[in-house]
Amino acid sequence: MTPDAAFHHRVASAVRDERVIRAVHLATLHKVQARAAGMAALRNYERIRALAAQIKQHTLENLADYLQQLVSNLQQRGATVHVASDAAAARDIICGIARRSGARLAVKAKSMTSEEIHLNEALQTAGVTTVETDLGEFIVQLDHDRPSHIVTPIIHKDRRQIAEAMQRELGCAYTQDPRELTAIARRHLRGVFARCDLGITGVNFAVAESGTLCICTNEGNGRMTVTRPRVHVALMGIEKVIPRLGDLPVFLKLLARSSTGQPMTVYTTLVTGPRRAGELDGPDELHVVLMDNGRSTLVGGRFAEVLRCIRCGACLNACPVYRNIGGHAYGGVYPGPIGSLVSPLLHGLDGREALPRASSLCGACRVACPVNIDIPSLLVRLRTASRDSRPLSKRIAMRLWQCVLESPALYTVAQWLLRRLLRDSGDGWSQRLPGSVGGWTTTRDVPIPRESFRNRWRRMLENAHEPD
Amino acid sequence: LNVALFVTCLTDTFFPRVGEAVVRVLRHFGCTVEFPAAQTCCGQPAFNSGFHREAAVLARRMIDVFAPYECIVTPSASCAAMIQHHFAELLADDPSAHREARRLAERTFEFTTFLTQRLGVDIARRLAFRGPVTFHFPCHSRGAYGPEQLAAWCAGESPAQLRRPAHADLCCGFGGMFSIEFPEISGPMLADRLNDLAATGATTIVCNEAGCTLSLAGGAHRRGLPLRFVHVAECLAESLGLMEPAT
């Protein structure tokens, strides 16, 4: 199967799953409203958003300097810094840390970067059991599933499925009550926290001037992950650095509001170094893994602004494509509009050419983005990158179309042909377009053109009286 | 004021009445309207598909065709945005063409923007509907006007007739080649939009974009929904007595 065909195939089976699509509709439309309400409560939203974009852009343009400053401050605070050029290197580093510290049981806070490198599988192979502690990710893991959203990983699941997974995997009594389900997960996870010896988190923001890591979660499990185990590993993409502690509030104002409409995440944890003498909380060792994995190739280029992304998920919620196909159909770790950029840009366009094309370019993502990433324009730009790998027939068709439009005479002939070739189903509409444009009539009819405007202009407008 | 009409290929081919309405309304408000017959298409389908060499050829052509005119008005915000934002980008490598592209961008207006900003027309005051009305906000109109603006025009002087859709800002699933290449995605998007519009109870839907109208009307016809899609130019021409109501 060609990659394009594989994508169409995934989409076709996704749209047939009415239960999932209904769940995704409900959840995303709710979040769109919650986000709008959250932003409305913010004075000067547009200015804060512009500022956030500027800070990120500035940081990217001076990335090497800020990373150097971050590394030096992290080390000064007692953290061990590791640099991973790609996913394999990051996996090796983290498995190495686990091995050296003799860890057997790891707890993990929600982290898309860890999904990106498929960390759990690697740790499993290295003999370390990893337990997801974010409730959504915990359920994903229990149900042997994959997250379908950057922020709300089980957006595609309903209560019944969650209840069934918990009953099957944890042996608890069947219940669909969200409170009871949460309590069951909590009890189970407390047991895990009591025994774990390694904590793994992502990083939402890393402050260069102080070496502070900021981790935003809603359930407190993230905070337990950085305080309870002996060893804390924080995995971050190199684009997560921001210059100053004073920049952090700009992003904290936007992140949760963009995701869920909350003014702030319930837990906003700032970690500056491992536990110091006399302190009660925190790990003995703090390891920070700075991962590139394709990011540095984007710096300074035509797609650099995707690195501004703070993974809030607002573009997924706003996107009518995501709403109708769900996250799994995208076939990668990062779904939705930002995923259709990030996946091909970080992991290669080869095999992912359909992703940037599978968008109506409606711009709802651009409107929702808290750091002003012009997602539609970048999608178009990415389409140019794959134009030469499009089927020859498509490329020839596009050239022919161009030639027709260069000549008003040919253009008029084409209009005439269209009128003649469309088969009227009796009421001035056609139900089937031929060949390569047949996709149109799988869902819509097409009106049979009568008179063109240019004809009408000559016939009755051109010589009519000017202003009366 | 001398105005050249850029009617756009879709309006030319499928919606001649919209072009006629634009001409009659502009003339009503004192403009002299010309229709440069050499015009074809702004090249947006090629541009959006990533075929920028082809699009650049058509951009140069547009610049030549409209060079003699001081104001260019188009009923499509999407095509206006193509000229305003992307021609210069397409021709960035050629300084003189780039300069011309920027000059064309400054002289090009989406129809409602031209009416309100250049002619000072209060659209809401000029519009009258004979029954309930709702609207579809075309995504590519964002640079020209917002959903609230469109709602205000439709509400006009009899706000009770406006039936607001639950989602004022929702894509119809058109997206040019997208609708042909990904019908399995575009179709459900269209269904979402049609359900939302049909739920308003209004059968007259103001939609100022030929692409959206082609998609929405085609979807409505397939489903047997009795919805009528009209461009604000047609509504104005009817309200001002310049055209007979469509049958």
Side-chain angles (χ1 to χ4, degrees):
Chain A
M1 204 176 338
T2 67
D4 268 21
F7 178 74
H8 281 289
H9 183 75
R10 284 199 303 274
V11 168
S13 65
V15 297
R16 274 199 302 273
D17 197 337
E18 282 179 33
R19 197 190 43 74
V20 167
I21 299 304
R22 200 165 39 239
V24 175
H25 266 74
L26 279 172
T28 54
L29 290 171
H30 170 76
K31 277 173 200 288
V32 164
Q33 284 186 349
R35 178 196 161 274
M39 291 306 177
L42 203 56
R43 271 180 302 139
N44 305 327
Y45 164 61
E46 284 299 341
R47 280 176 60 193
I48 297 171
R49 181 196 203 203
L51 183 59
Q54 262 173 27
I55 295 169
K56 277 281 185 180
Q57 195 63 32
H58 164 83
T59 313
L60 289 170
E61 282 159 17
N62 301 275
L63 190 59
D65 293 342
Y66 284 117
L67 283 173
Q68 205 168 21
Q69 195 187 1
L70 175 68
V71 169
S72 137
N73 283 317
L74 282 168
Q75 287 169 337
Q76 227 164 57
R77 306 287 173 145
T80 309
V81 179
H82 309 260
V83 177
S85 59
D86 58 15
R91 285 191 298 263
D92 288 349
I93 289 165
I94 297 171
C95 290
I97 295 166
R99 198 167 43 244
R100 276 194 302 280
S101 65
R104 309 298 302 167
L105 180 62
V107 286
K108 207 175 105 198
K110 182 167 167 38
S111 154
M112 286 310 295
T113 314
S114 74
E115 291 292 330
E116 179 183 329
I117 66 169
H118 304 290
L119 181 59
N120 292 5
E121 293 88 331
L123 282 167
Q124 192 65 54
T125 310
V128 182
T129 304
T130 309
V131 179
E132 296 283 353
T133 64
D134 171 85
L135 184 56
E137 294 285 355
F138 175 71
I139 292 161
V140 165
Q141 192 180 30
L142 271 188
D143 212 13
H144 312 287
D145 200 352
R146 285 219 166 265
S148 72
H149 189 285
I150 292 174
V151 176
T152 41
I154 51 168
I155 195 168
H156 61 289
K157 285 190 187 299
D158 61 19
R159 272 183 217 191
R160 186 176 49 84
Q161 284 176 301
I162 295 166
E164 282 168 4
M166 299 262 267
Q167 183 193 30
R168 187 182 66 235
E169 303 290 331
L170 298 179
C172 59
Y174 183 89
T175 171
Q176 286 195 10
D177 179 37
R179 269 173 202 278
E180 283 182 47
L181 288 169
T182 308
I184 294 165
R186 187 173 189 274
R187 272 198 303 278
H188 178 84
L189 286 171
R190 286 294 155 125
V192 175
F193 274 119
R195 290 180 287 124
C196 68
D197 33 29
L198 181 66
I200 301 164
T201 70
V203 174
N204 290 94
F205 309 98
V207 181
E209 70 169 2
S210 62
T212 302
L213 308 177
C214 177
I215 297 153
C216 302
T217 69
N218 264 338
E219 295 162 9
N221 294 339
R223 186 164 292 177
M224 295 213 359
T225 304
V226 308
T227 49
R228 181 63 189 72
R230 282 185 290 116
V231 180
H232 171 202
V233 177
L235 169 66
M236 59 176 276
I238 53 174
E239 84 283 19
K240 293 291 177 193
V241 63
I242 57 172
R244 301 168 309 170
L245 211 48
D247 299 324
L248 192 54
V250 177
F251 295 99
L252 295 181
K253 273 182 203 289
L254 294 171
L255 178 61
R257 279 191 170 87
S258 299
S259 291
T260 57
Q262 294 165 280
M264 250 174 71
T265 41
V266 179
Y267 292 85
T268 301
T269 305
L270 303 185
V271 175
T272 310
R275 179 158 50 87
R276 282 179 286 261
E279 287 181 344
L280 294 174
D281 287 325
D284 299 337
E285 293 174 32
L286 169 62
H287 296 267
V288 181
V289 182
L290 294 172
M291 185 176 74
D292 184 341
N293 207 24
R295 289 159 173 81
S296 63
T297 61
L298 302 177
V299 174
R302 307 192 297 153
F303 295 100
E305 69 182 85
V306 300
L307 296 176
R308 298 208 292 247
C309 177
I310 58 172
R311 306 283 189 262
C312 69
C315 63
L316 281 65
N317 299 333
C319 179
V321 172
Y322 178 86
R323 196 173 297 140
N324 276 295
I325 68 175
H328 289 154
Y330 290 84
V333 169
Y334 298 106
I338 192 68
S340 293
L341 290 171
V342 165
S343 301
L345 288 172
L346 291 187
H347 311 309
L349 190 54
D350 199 22
R352 300 184 178 89
E353 293 92 343
L355 287 178
R357 290 204 312 276
S359 162
S360 67
L361 306 176
C362 79
C365 49
R366 179 176 48 201
V367 174
C369 178
V371 287
N372 269 338
I373 302 175
D374 189 352
I375 296 175
S377 294
L378 295 180
L379 287 171
V380 168
R381 217 168 277 174
L382 205 46
R383 291 174 186 186
T384 65
S386 67
R387 64 158 280 162
D388 292 331
S389 65
R390 301 297 302 281
L392 187 62
S393 60
K394 281 251 157 66
R395 283 179 281 157
I396 290 175
M398 203 49 94
R399 259 324 278 281
L400 272 177
W401 175 84
Q402 175 212 316
C403 292
V404 168
L405 293 177
E406 277 185 277
S407 149
L410 284 178
Y411 167 84
T412 312
V413 170
Q415 285 183 318
W416 178 83
L417 270 175
L418 184 68
R419 276 198 291 281
R420 298 303 301 269
L421 290 179
L422 287 181
R423 185 197 297 257
D424 194 329
S425 51
D427 55 357
W429 291 76
S430 180
Q431 291 173 354
R432 235 184 81 201
L433 283 174
S436 60
V437 291
W440 178 270
T441 40
T442 58
T443 53
R444 318 157 153 88
D445 295 336
V446 59
I448 295 178
R450 299 291 166 207
E451 182 185 29
S452 69
F453 170 78
R454 62 188 57 223
N455 206 56
R456 187 174 293 196
W457 168 264
R458 270 196 311 274
R459 189 167 62 79
M460 56 188 274
L461 292 167
E462 189 169 16
N463 298 315
H465 288 296
E466 285 293 338
D468 18 72
Chain B
L1 209 51
N2 284 309
V3 170
L5 170 64
F6 171 46
V7 77
T8 79
C9 59
L10 284 184
T11 305
D12 183 19
T13 306
F14 289 100
F15 305 108
R17 189 169 187 272
V18 173
E20 181 185 341
V22 169
V23 172
R24 293 195 187 278
V25 170
L26 288 175
R27 282 180 177 167
H28 175 82
F29 288 111
C31 298
T32 307
V33 183
E34 294 185 64
F35 178 73
Q39 65 180 277
T40 57
C41 167
C42 65
Q44 191 178 183
F47 179 81
N48 284 349
S49 301
F51 288 80
H52 287 196
R53 278 201 299 274
E54 288 78 356
V57 171
L58 296 171
R60 282 176 194 275
R61 205 177 165 276
M62 286 283 293
I63 290 170
D64 290 344
V65 168
F66 287 99
Y69 304 96
E70 57 177 317
C71 276
I72 297 98
V73 174
T74 175
S76 160
S78 183
C79 303
M82 177 69 202
I83 298 168
Q84 288 159 344
H85 301 304
H86 300 308
F87 276 17
E89 179 189 339
L90 280 172
L91 301 170
D93 292 340
D94 178 343
S96 87
H98 183 258
R99 211 163 34 242
E100 287 305 308
R102 294 183 53 157
R103 287 227 322 113
L104 180 63
E106 287 162 12
R107 282 151 43 226
T108 300
F109 299 88
E110 179 273 331
F111 173 69
T112 62
T113 312
F114 188 75
L115 278 190
T116 54
Q117 290 177 13
R118 290 299 295 265
L119 302 180
V121 174
D122 183 346
I123 294 177
R125 261 194 53 218
R126 302 284 186 161
L127 272 181
F129 295 95
R130 280 176 307 177
V133 60
T134 188
F135 61 87
H136 168 72
F137 175 72
C139 304
H140 288 192
S141 304
R142 284 202 185 97
Y145 54 87
E148 285 312 310
Q149 179 64 72
L150 182 56
W153 289 335
C154 294
E157 305 219 294
S158 49
Q161 293 199 344
L162 175 65
R163 306 276 190 272
R164 296 182 67 99
H167 303 286
D169 188 357
L170 189 63
C171 178
C172 67
F174 174 61
M177 297 303 287
F178 167 77
S179 56
I180 292 167
E181 200 183 348
F182 297 98
E184 71 276 39
I185 307 175
S186 170
M189 287 164 70
L190 172 63
D192 280 351
R193 177 75 285 197
L194 280 174
N195 290 341
D196 190 35
L197 293 173
T200 64
T203 53
T204 299
I205 296 157
V206 176
C207 171
N208 298 340
E209 200 66 59
C212 304
T213 297
L214 201 59
S215 166
L216 288 164
H221 188 264
R222 175 66 59 91
R223 290 162 176 76
L225 294 171
L227 303 178
R228 174 175 169 255
F229 294 86
V230 286
H231 193 286
V232 70
E234 294 173 279
C235 308
L236 275 169
E238 290 174 19
S239 303
L240 295 166
L242 308 172
M243 282 169 79
E244 290 298 313
T247 45

